[in-house]
Amino acid sequence: MKEKEQSTVVGQLLILNIFAILAGYYFITTIDEFVKQREWWYDLLVLLIVICEVVYNWIQLMKVKGKIKKMSLTLSIITLSAFLSGTYFSEIWNKIQKGSGYRNTMILAIFWVCLLIIWNIVLWKRYKKNN
């Protein structure tokens, strides 16, 4: 049972990271499409679906809240880091398409990805420590 729970926690955490990054990416894409007065509702629909998935994974991960110290704070930081990583990835992609410089944006994206990785490691160590 313990190994199955660990696999579930790892899976839920990976899915949370991926979908939070996608939420950040589609957040910027939706705003960009809205400003350009294009068909932005498709991006908005994807954004809403992705946000629902992030909330679902949050709920699933909160089931092991008692086993991890400061779980809400850690998940908040992880989600925010992933979301901001996604927004910067979207900005980098937009700047590449426009042919403008993206070095500063790349540095910020790397910062948020590193922060995301660090907090995932912190969460996993807290989980392993209590199990």
Side-chain angles (χ1 to χ4, degrees), residues 99-116:
S100 61
Y102 56 89
R103 182 173 292 164
N104 292 339
T105 309
M106 181 73 79
I107 292 168
L108 288 169
I110 290 170
F111 169 77
W112 286 109
V113 168
C114 289
L115 194 63
L116 176 65

Side-chain angles (χ1 to χ4, degrees), residues 2 5-6 9 64 66-70 120-131:
K2 187 177 180 180
E5 183 181 84
Q6 286 180 352
V9 168
V64 293
K67 297 181 180 182
I68 302 172
K69 191 171 78 172
K70 297 181 182 178
N120 275 290
I121 292 169
V122 166
L123 180 70
W124 183 247
K125 285 188 176 186
R126 286 181 183 169
Y127 177 76
K128 291 292 277 184
K129 180 180 175 183
N130 294 330
N131 281 325

Side-chain angles (χ1 to χ4, degrees), residues 3 24-25 27 30 39 47 51 55-56 62 81 84 87-88 94 97 106 131:
E3 188 174 311
Y25 180 86
F27 178 75
T30 303
E39 296 180 355
L47 178 63
I51 288 173
V55 169
Y56 173 77
M62 291 306 282
S81 299
L84 290 172
T87 60
Y88 282 109
N94 287 338
Q97 289 177 331
M106 181 73 79
N131 281 325

